[in-house]
Amino acid sequence: MSATLSPTFYDDSCPDLKWIVDSVLQAALLKDPRIGAKLLRMHFHDCFVQGCDASVLLDEAQGEKTAQPNLNSLMGFDVVDSIKSAVESACPGIVSCADILAVAAEVSVVLAGGPSWKVLLGRRDSLTGSKRLANRDIPPPTSTFSQLVKAFKKKGLSTEDMIVLSGGHTIGASRCASFTQRLYNQSGSFQADPTIEKRYLFNLQQVCPRNGDGNVTQSLDFSPRSFDNNYYKLVVSNLGLLNSDQVLTTQSQGSAALVSALSRDQTSFFNRFAVSMVKMGNISPLVGNKGEIRNKCRYRN
C-alpha cells in the first residue's frame, strides 16, 4: 500500500506545498508555542484510527473529536483550517487534508529543532470517522508497557518504533487529568506511583492537587519547545510525566536499555524518529480513487 505514496506526489501539481505549510506554521507558532506539539499529536491520533486519512478532522456528532482520547485535549484544528485554506488558494482541489497533517507534523518537528524526513504523499481523505475505533485504538496515557506494545503492533509498528515515537513527548504538555492517577491512586492503591522521583512527585502535586482542575497543563519535558533527547534523560531519571512514559524503563529491561541509549545519543534518536514517522505515516492510507480530496477538512464534500 505504501508503495503508492511518494515524496514527489505534488511536485508538479502543488510544488509550493511544504513552503505554504511552513509559512502558516511559523505564524501560528508566534501565537501558540505549543502548536507544533499539537499537530504532531494530531497526526498520530489520525493514523491510529482507520489509518492516516484525516478522519480525526471531521466535525461529526459521533466523530473522533468526541472520543475520550481527543475530547477537550486534541487541539490545533483552526491552524489546520488555515493551512488548508492557504493550500487551496494555491492549488485548489489537489492536496488532501491527510497529507496536510503529515506535512505539518514534519514541519513542526523541524521548526522545533528536530530531524527532517521525506514525507510520503498521495493519501486521500476518508468519508467518515469512528469514535468507537478512536476509543479502542489510541493508547491512553495510563497504558502499561505491554498495552503499548500491543497497540503499536496492531498498527504494524514494532516495540522500537513505539519507544522512538514516544520521544515525540519531548515537545508539548499534558493535562493533569492524564496523569493525576499516578500522583494519588496508582493502580487503585490510593498511593502515588512509587517509581516517580520524590521531588518531582511533590512538584506535580502542587501543579495538580487532588480533585483540582484536570485541564491545567504540565510540560512533558523540561525543554518543551525544543525537539531534543531530553525526554529520554528524564525517563531514565524517573522523571517521566505520564505512566506511558515511565513504563518504558520500569516494565521492560530491553526497553530500558534503548531508552538509556537514546538519552546519550541525540543523533541516533533523530535518525530513528524520522524512520519511524515514515512508517507511522504509512498506516492504511486511502489511495487511488478511494475516499476524496476534501474542500474543507472538517466536512465531507
Side-chain angles (χ1 to χ4, degrees):
M1 202 73 170
S2 61
T4 58
L5 299 182
S6 165
T8 62
F9 191 83
Y10 298 113
D11 278 11
D12 294 328
S13 58
C14 195
D16 291 332
L17 172 61
K18 189 166 181 179
W19 179 85
I20 295 169
V21 175
D22 187 285
S23 59
V24 174
L25 272 183
Q26 291 212 44
L29 276 166
L30 296 175
K31 298 177 183 176
D32 179 6
R34 288 175 51 202
I35 191 60
K38 292 173 181 177
L39 295 180
L40 178 60
R41 181 170 181 250
M42 192 183 294
H43 181 44
F44 167 62
H45 281 217
D46 180 42
C47 290
F48 263 59
V49 184
Q50 300 184 169
C52 309
D53 62 357
S55 55
V56 73
L57 301 177
L58 288 169
D59 281 348
E60 299 176 311
Q62 291 297 309
E64 292 168 31
K65 289 180 180 179
T66 67
Q68 189 61 39
N70 299 329
L71 189 64
N72 298 326
S73 72
L74 200 65
M75 300 174 184
F77 297 108
D78 54 333
V79 175
V80 176
D81 291 340
S82 296
I83 296 171
K84 177 64 170 174
S85 178
V87 170
E88 285 295 306
S89 294
C91 326
I94 299 294
V95 181
S96 68
C97 298
D99 279 345
I100 284 174
L101 284 183
V103 174
E106 191 267 352
V107 171
S108 294
V109 169
V110 171
L111 289 176
S116 177
W117 59 91
K118 285 189 175 179
V119 181
L120 300 183
L121 301 165
R123 301 168 191 80
R124 290 168 65 84
D125 300 323
S126 68
L127 301 178
T128 185
S130 175
K131 179 179 181 177
R132 181 182 67 84
L133 292 180
N135 282 324
R136 188 190 75 182
D137 289 353
I138 298 171
T142 54
S143 296
T144 63
F145 183 80
S146 60
Q147 288 169 338
L148 289 171
V149 170
K150 185 177 179 182
F152 278 71
K153 184 178 180 181
K154 189 175 180 181
K155 303 300 175 184
L157 298 171
S158 68
T159 300
E160 180 180 320
D161 291 321
M162 180 271 288
I163 296 165
V164 168
L165 291 171
S166 294
H169 285 174
T170 181
I171 53 175
S174 181
R175 298 183 306 148
C176 289
S178 295
F179 57 87
T180 302
Q181 93 290 340
R182 293 190 73 207
L183 311 183
Y184 303 105
N185 188 22
Q186 178 75 335
S187 305
S189 65
F190 298 103
Q191 302 289 326
D193 182 344
T195 67
I196 307 178
E197 196 273 336
K198 292 295 180 281
R199 283 168 299 178
Y200 187 45
L201 172 62
F202 176 80
N203 291 338
L204 290 178
Q205 288 175 332
Q206 307 313 301
V207 175
C208 306
R210 193 191 298 268
N211 302 321
D213 182 355
N215 289 316
V216 171
T217 58
Q218 167 71 23
S219 295
L220 286 155
D221 177 334
F222 293 163
S223 54
R225 298 183 189 182
S226 297
F227 198 97
D228 50 36
N229 67 335
N230 283 347
Y231 166 82
Y232 295 105
K233 295 176 183 178
L234 294 174
V235 173
V236 164
S237 303
N238 288 330
L239 298 168
L241 182 62
L242 306 177
N243 195 74
S244 55
D245 296 325
Q246 199 57 61
V247 295
L248 300 184
T249 60
T250 58
Q251 295 185 359
S252 166
Q253 287 185 334
S255 172
L258 178 54
V259 169
S260 179
L262 295 174
S263 76
R264 298 189 302 271
D265 190 344
Q266 181 165 284
T267 301
S268 174
F269 165 49
F270 279 15
N271 292 339
R272 291 170 188 244
F273 188 82
V275 171
S276 293
M277 282 298 294
V278 172
K279 283 181 70 175
M280 188 183 79
N282 281 340
I283 299 174
S284 306
L286 297 174
V287 293
N289 59 3
K290 295 181 179 177
E292 64 182 9
I293 305 297
R294 288 184 211 143
N295 297 321
K296 292 184 181 296
C297 292
R298 293 173 183 263
Y299 311 105
R300 287 178 54 179
N301 292 347

